[in-house]
Amino acid sequence: MSNNINGICGKLILGGKICLKTGLHIGASKNFSSIGAVDMVVVRDPLTKSPYIPGSSLKGKMRYLLARVYAREGQLKDFKDEDDKLLRLFGSSGEKLFLSRLQFYDAFMTKESLERLKKMDTDLYLTEIKFENTIPRLSGIANPRQMERVPAGAEFAFKLVYNLEKPEELEEDMRHLGCGISLLQDDYIGGHGSRGCGRVEFAGITLEYKDYAQVSGKKALGFDVRTKAEEAFQNGRNGVVI
């Protein structure tokens, strides 16, 4: 097993908002809450009962989309055989051991959205019910069902941390992260995306750098990490990855 665990020079903290352009459904177990007759319920914070976007959903979908970009016209590889550029960002516990440089936070609904949705006449607490109907071609018998969604217009606070391990790989990693954000915007999050759900927009993205090299008595890197990261991130959002 190859060891790819490196020291940490610093941490880049990205923040912003995830704005829902269409209704969002990230499903939970039917036993998660007593919603009643709704067939498919959304995941909720157990303390506040408000819907949230799990960090695992953001990370998994971004990794999947970037892997498909690398696959191009070929077939998608097993994640253990992915390019090292993706393994070091998202982690691997296989023969190639990588600790994930990206750490995604769960995204919780903003205070403004909570207050606005509480005042609206929605079907459920902070959510809406979308009715769907499927009709099998052979039987022709209608099969109506109800799906819970977070309404379009709701906003969630977005945050993730990038561990700066190798300064020479900073720009490449940031380009991939920027590209991943754009891919999420051009795709969808959660379920039923091919039927319109889960379209999002990332807004007001900020970037902060915390230098931990000085903690261990190391010399400064000799360049403005935040500026270089911002430029590379924006290039990635514009489609420049390599």
Side-chain angles (χ1 to χ4, degrees), residues 32-43:
F32 185 77
S33 61
S34 56
I35 300 301
V38 179
D39 298 316
M40 294 175 284
V41 299
V42 301
V43 63

Side-chain angles (χ1 to χ4, degrees), residues 148-163:
E148 185 183 20
R149 302 195 312 178
V150 183
E155 295 180 342
F156 294 80
F158 163 74
K159 183 177 180 180
L160 72 82
V161 175
Y162 166 80
N163 284 336

